[in-house]
Amino acid sequence: MDIKKYKGILLDLDGVLMNDRFELYQDVRQLLYWFKLKGKKLYLCSHNNGGHYLLKKKRIYKFFDAIAAIYLSSDKYPNLELLRALDRDMPKNEDLIFFDDQIAHVMDLDEIGIDGVLVDPKVGLNKNMFNAFREPEIDDFFANDNCCPCVRK
């Protein structure tokens, strides 16, 4: 799988961006920044009704093109119609990749042509996942401690 081919990235909140104590996983801010530098559109798809609040509190809200508390609007996960209503320029299904910690959710999207990646909720979204996607420049990107202005204290 080549991450470069995707125009949009769907991300779950719990177990992907944040742990069960509502702390961001270590690499999340830098990865979101890296995705935006690469021109990717980012979408939050979560059953967590507090997604807007948590993203604002953790100062990562600005990275997302659309955010939806999916369980409020659909029995199928995620509700792409809701996300497309929020962002009319959302890429087509074949141009999207989905990161989630629930295999059932990944399989739901596979049924409609969206590639999925199962994330281990013990470690969440992290740069080592992308080495597997043949992204050698990510190591160079992470080698620079000041690469993401939002990471500075």
Side-chain angles (χ1 to χ4, degrees):
M1 178 181 318
D2 183 1
I3 194 74
K4 292 177 185 175
K5 81 173 198 166
Y6 300 101
K7 296 177 183 174
I9 300 170
L10 302 165
L11 297 159
D12 184 28
L13 183 61
D14 305 308
V16 175
L17 300 179
M18 299 177 126
N19 63 27
D20 58 1
R21 294 181 311 275
F22 301 109
E23 299 165 335
L24 289 179
Y25 291 107
Q26 181 177 347
D27 296 341
V28 166
R29 277 194 186 96
Q30 286 179 306
L31 281 170
L32 296 175
Y33 185 68
W34 185 72
F35 291 147
K36 293 312 274 186
L37 285 178
K38 296 292 182 180
K40 309 295 183 197
K41 297 193 88 164
L42 299 178
Y43 303 95
L44 182 73
C45 308
S46 181
H47 285 114
N48 188 327
N49 193 28
H52 283 85
Y53 169 77
L54 290 169
L55 295 183
K56 285 179 181 176
K57 184 176 179 179
K58 299 299 180 181
R59 299 180 315 147
I60 59 172
Y61 183 85
K62 64 183 176 184
F63 292 115
F64 290 88
D65 294 277
I67 297 169
I70 304 305
Y71 82 94
L72 294 175
S73 60
S74 174
D75 60 341
K76 197 71 168 165
Y77 182 85
N79 184 336
L80 294 179
E81 291 77 26
L82 176 60
L83 287 171
R84 289 189 197 289
L86 294 170
D87 180 12
R88 298 201 186 280
D89 296 324
M90 186 175 175
K92 298 179 285 188
N93 289 4
E94 60 269 17
D95 295 326
L96 294 168
I97 188 168
F98 179 52
F99 292 88
D100 199 304
D101 63 325
Q102 302 287 323
I103 189 67
H105 299 162
V106 171
M107 290 171 59
D108 281 348
L109 271 76
D110 185 60
E111 291 175 12
I112 59 170
I114 296 176
D115 291 333
V117 176
L118 186 61
V119 176
D120 180 352
K122 293 176 187 160
V123 295
L125 191 71
N126 64 82
K127 70 174 184 143
N128 295 327
M129 297 174 67
F130 297 93
N131 293 338
F133 298 142
R134 290 181 227 94
E135 292 288 342
E137 73 266 23
I138 199 163
D139 285 329
D140 294 335
F141 181 82
F142 272 81
N144 178 358
D145 289 335
N146 296 317
C147 66
C148 179
C150 61
V151 173
R152 295 185 200 136
K153 303 247 182 223

